[in-house]
């Protein structure tokens, strides 16, 4: 019987763990203690924010900002680590071990001081780019905790947030945190958002504010920041006018009108697809127009747009004219019902011009559409002549003027003949 020879082994063998495989223990309180200790040392010596910025910059090379970014910004906003609800975590022998006065909440309540704190935050984020995500997370969280802060702390935070958002340091989408029911029903969200909007407008302007509200899809949620029993147009207008934000009222009205236009456009599409009688479409459009205070020139443009979008047009230029005229003749009464003023006629004619220019197959159809609209009482000869003499769009202007030349001559000669006939009648 043969025995297998055992292979030799090395004694004292050690398996080394690569550094990247080692997991760092989560120790936020140790991180907090290091930050607060450094800040309080500066406080004892009589600090300025430039010194604070240098300390934070240097500390980023020693402490793990990447892992503890949220706790870093807890300290810079509130002076310590925030527990759920907004209170400071108190776990030391005395306040100096878990809290610092170098923060937004303890800063002087004046705009210049608070703005300097924001600038310090911005410097830190620019130095350590990965902190951007932590900053936005912090903003989302701290806004949810508003109820746990004092009135003065909320006021400072509102101004600071306005400056932060105006300078693009965080997305205005963080304001969705203010839509929490616990904040809106007690008026906390409304007071906060009002101060924030004032700060934003002072930092930039109202156009910048409104543009960013649209980007964050908040333009239709403004009423939701009010307590449920005050979500009315009257309360909205009264509140923002009283706080010097009259443009917010105009902005809300414009949004309401835009929403109504979109809804009407959708409704018109459904009616066209469902082959609703024209008289019913006219009735619906007039009701919506009255309800939302829409102008006739706005409504006629919507009708034109929906009519032209409801058809798949022939790709051949020689066939599209016949198809277009047949289609438009069917809905001529609908268009005629909303061209009772010179302004709405002019608006429609310009939209027809721009449509024919933007859609190549319609380039040679413009004059034929205008003639159809003239014969079906959608456009008057005065509006057509005024368009020809200069009240038009620059799109394809020279080409369409040339196309309309003979028709204009015919209209003018007919007008002259009509005028001479009236004179003859007067003489008789």
């Amino acid at each position: 019987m043969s025995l297998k020879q055992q292979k030799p082994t090395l004694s004292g063998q050690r398996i080394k763990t690569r550094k990247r495989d080692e997991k760092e223990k989560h120790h936020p309180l140790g991180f907090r203690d290091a930050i607060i200790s450094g800040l309080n040392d500066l406080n004892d010596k009589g600090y300025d924010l430039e010194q604070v910025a240098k300390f934070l910059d240097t500390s980023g090379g020693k402490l793990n900002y990447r892992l503890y970014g949220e706790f870093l910004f807890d300290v810079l906003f509130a002076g310590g680590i925030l527990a759920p609800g907004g209170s400071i975590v108190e776990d030391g022998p005395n306040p100096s071990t878990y809290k610092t006065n170098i923060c937004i909440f303890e800063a002087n309540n004046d705009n210049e001081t608070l703005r300097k704190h924001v600038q310090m935050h911005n410097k830190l984020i620019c130095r350590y780019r990965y902190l951007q995500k932590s900053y936005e997370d912090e903003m989302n969280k701290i806004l949810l905790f508003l109820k746990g802060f004092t009135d003065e702390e909320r006021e400072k935070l509102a101004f600071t947030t306005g400056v932060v958002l105006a300078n693009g340091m965080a997305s205005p989408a963080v304001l969705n945190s203010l839509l929490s029911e616990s904040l809106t029903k007690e008026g906390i969200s409304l007071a906060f958002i009002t101060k924030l909007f004032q700060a934003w407008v002072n930092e930039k302007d109202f156009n910048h504010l409104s543009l960013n509200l649209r980007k964050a899809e908040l333009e239709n949620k403004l009423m939701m920041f009010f307590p449920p029993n005050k979500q009315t147009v009257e309360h909205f207008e009264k509140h923002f006018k009283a706080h010097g934000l009259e443009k917010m009222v105009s902005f809300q009205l414009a949004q309401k009108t835009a929403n109504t236009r979109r809804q009407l456009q959708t409704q018109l599409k459904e009616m066209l697809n469902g082959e609703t009688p024209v008289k019913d479409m006219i009735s619906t459009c007039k009701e919506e127009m009255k309800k939302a205070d829409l102008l006739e020139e706005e409504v006629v443009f919507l009708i034109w747009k929906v009519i032209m979008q409801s058809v798949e047009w022939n790709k051949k230029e020689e066939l599209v004219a016949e198809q277009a005229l047949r289609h438009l003749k069917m809905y001529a009464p609908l268009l005629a019902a909303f061209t009772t003023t010179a302004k709405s006629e002019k608006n429609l004619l310009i939209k027809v011009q721009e449509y024919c220019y933007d859609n190549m197959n319609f380039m040679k159809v413009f004059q034929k559409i205008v003639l159809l609209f003239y014969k079906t009482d959608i456009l008057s000869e005065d509006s057509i002549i005024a368009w020809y003499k200069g009240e038009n769009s620059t799109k394809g202007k020279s080409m369409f003027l040339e196309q309309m030349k003979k028709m204009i001559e015919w209209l003018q000669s007919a007008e002259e003949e009509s005028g001479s006939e009236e004179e003859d009648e007067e003489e008789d």
Side-chain angles (χ1 to χ4, degrees):
M1 186 176 179
S2 61
L3 294 173
K4 287 185 179 179
Q5 190 174 356
Q6 195 172 2
K7 291 182 180 179
T9 58
L10 293 172
S11 60
Q13 184 179 0
R14 295 179 63 191
I15 300 172
K16 289 187 178 180
T17 305
R18 286 180 295 180
K19 207 167 189 180
R20 67 181 179 213
D21 294 333
E22 293 176 1
K23 290 185 179 179
E24 184 174 345
K25 290 181 180 179
H26 194 59
H27 191 40
L29 296 183
F31 173 85
R32 176 207 64 184
D33 293 346
I35 290 292
I36 287 180
S37 174
L39 291 175
N40 284 341
D41 284 347
L42 290 174
N43 195 24
D44 293 340
K45 296 171 186 175
Y47 74 96
D48 61 36
L49 290 179
E50 284 295 325
Q51 290 174 305
V52 175
K54 286 177 183 176
F55 164 73
L56 293 171
D57 190 353
T58 306
S59 296
K62 305 170 187 174
L63 303 173
N64 195 339
Y65 282 180
R66 191 182 294 276
L67 185 62
Y68 301 118
E70 177 189 345
F71 303 110
L72 172 64
F73 291 120
D74 271 358
V75 172
L76 295 182
F77 273 102
I81 290 183
L82 289 170
S87 61
I88 299 290
V89 174
E90 301 178 357
D91 63 342
N94 58 71
S96 66
T97 60
Y98 56 78
K99 195 173 186 307
T100 179
N101 291 330
I102 304 178
C103 62
I104 296 287
F105 284 179
E106 297 294 334
N108 290 335
N109 195 5
D110 66 84
N111 295 352
E112 194 54 39
T113 300
L114 294 172
R115 193 175 280 108
K116 284 179 180 178
H117 274 267
V118 175
Q119 289 169 353
M120 181 183 71
H121 292 189
N122 195 37
K123 278 183 184 178
L124 187 60
I125 294 168
C126 288
R127 175 70 177 84
Y128 299 100
R129 288 287 180 184
Y130 55 80
L131 284 175
Q132 182 66 55
K133 175 70 167 57
S134 299
Y135 199 70
E136 289 219 10
D137 290 344
E138 177 69 18
M139 296 299 295
N140 272 309
K141 182 185 77 175
I142 203 168
L143 295 186
L144 284 171
F145 292 166
L146 286 184
K147 202 171 178 181
F149 305 145
T150 66
D151 289 343
E152 187 178 4
E153 287 169 347
R154 285 198 290 264
E155 190 176 326
K156 291 175 186 177
L157 183 59
F159 177 84
T160 300
T161 307
V163 176
V164 164
L165 298 183
N167 287 285
M169 292 168 60
S171 165
V174 300
L175 298 180
N176 281 298
S177 294
L178 298 174
L179 296 174
S180 165
E181 186 182 350
S182 63
L183 297 176
T184 56
K185 70 180 181 181
E186 294 185 24
I188 294 172
S189 292
L190 179 58
F192 189 89
I193 206 81
T194 304
K195 179 75 176 176
L196 185 154
F197 286 162
Q198 289 171 331
W200 194 327
V201 170
N202 287 333
E203 189 74 10
K204 296 290 183 179
D205 55 36
F206 188 81
N207 288 336
H208 187 267
L209 168 60
S210 60
L211 178 65
N212 279 275
L213 289 176
R214 287 193 184 98
K215 282 182 180 177
E217 299 181 355
L218 285 164
E219 72 275 24
N220 296 318
K221 297 180 180 179
L222 296 176
M223 196 78 78
M224 295 166 66
F225 291 105
F226 283 70
N229 62 337
K230 293 186 177 180
Q231 291 182 5
T232 64
V233 173
E234 292 74 21
H235 277 107
F236 189 96
E237 291 182 358
K238 185 179 178 182
H239 176 81
F240 283 114
K241 282 180 179 178
H243 289 85
L245 290 165
E246 292 84 358
K247 288 184 178 179
M248 187 60 70
V249 177
S250 304
F251 177 71
Q252 175 71 359
L253 181 61
Q255 288 307 126
K256 184 183 176 185
T257 304
N259 290 338
T260 304
R261 284 199 294 263
R262 281 193 290 271
Q263 290 166 7
L264 179 56
Q265 190 171 332
T266 302
Q267 204 171 354
L268 276 169
K269 283 179 184 175
E270 291 171 356
M271 288 192 288
L272 255 72
N273 293 335
E275 298 182 355
T276 304
V278 170
K279 62 183 176 80
D280 292 342
M281 295 173 71
I282 292 171
S283 176
T284 298
C285 288
K286 285 190 173 179
E287 284 175 16
E288 291 301 319
M289 180 176 158
K290 186 177 180 181
K291 196 188 301 180
D293 290 328
L294 292 175
L295 300 173
E296 190 180 78
E297 55 265 29
E298 293 177 308
V299 176
V300 78
F301 168 54
L302 284 179
I303 294 169
W304 162 261
K305 192 175 177 182
V306 171
I307 287 173
M308 298 309 284
Q309 287 177 345
S310 66
V311 176
E312 188 174 337
W313 298 109
N314 200 302
K315 297 291 187 289
K316 294 182 180 179
E317 190 177 314
E318 62 272 17
L319 297 176
V320 79
E322 184 183 344
Q323 183 190 10
L325 295 175
R326 187 170 60 248
H327 181 64
L328 288 169
K329 190 173 183 179
M330 191 188 308
Y331 294 104
L334 177 58
L335 288 164
F338 296 93
T339 51
T340 63
T341 66
K343 193 169 183 180
S344 55
E345 286 185 33
K346 174 187 170 184
N347 186 55
L348 176 60
L349 189 45
I350 289 173
K351 296 304 178 186
V352 174
Q353 175 190 349
E354 291 175 345
Y355 182 88
C356 290
Y357 178 80
D358 293 335
N359 296 272
M360 193 176 293
N361 287 349
F362 281 81
M363 288 283 199
K364 294 179 182 178
V365 189
F366 175 71
Q367 185 271 336
K368 293 176 181 177
I369 294 175
V370 175
L371 181 59
L372 171 67
F373 283 1
Y374 173 70
K375 288 181 177 179
T376 51
D377 294 326
I378 296 170
L379 298 176
S380 66
E381 61 186 60
D382 288 342
S383 294
I384 297 170
I385 291 170
W387 171 89
Y388 188 79
K389 288 182 176 179
E391 294 182 13
N392 49 48
S393 170
T394 56
K395 288 188 172 184
K397 181 176 178 178
S398 57
M399 179 181 64
F400 293 134
L401 288 177
E402 182 62 32
Q403 214 180 102
M404 288 290 294
K405 193 172 182 182
K406 287 185 179 179
M407 183 177 173
I408 294 296
E409 288 172 358
W410 172 69
L411 286 173
Q412 288 176 329
S413 63
E415 190 178 8
E416 287 169 6
E417 287 175 13
S418 175
S420 61
E421 284 175 8
E422 287 175 7
E423 287 175 9
D424 291 341
E425 286 175 7
E426 285 175 6
E427 287 176 6
D428 292 343

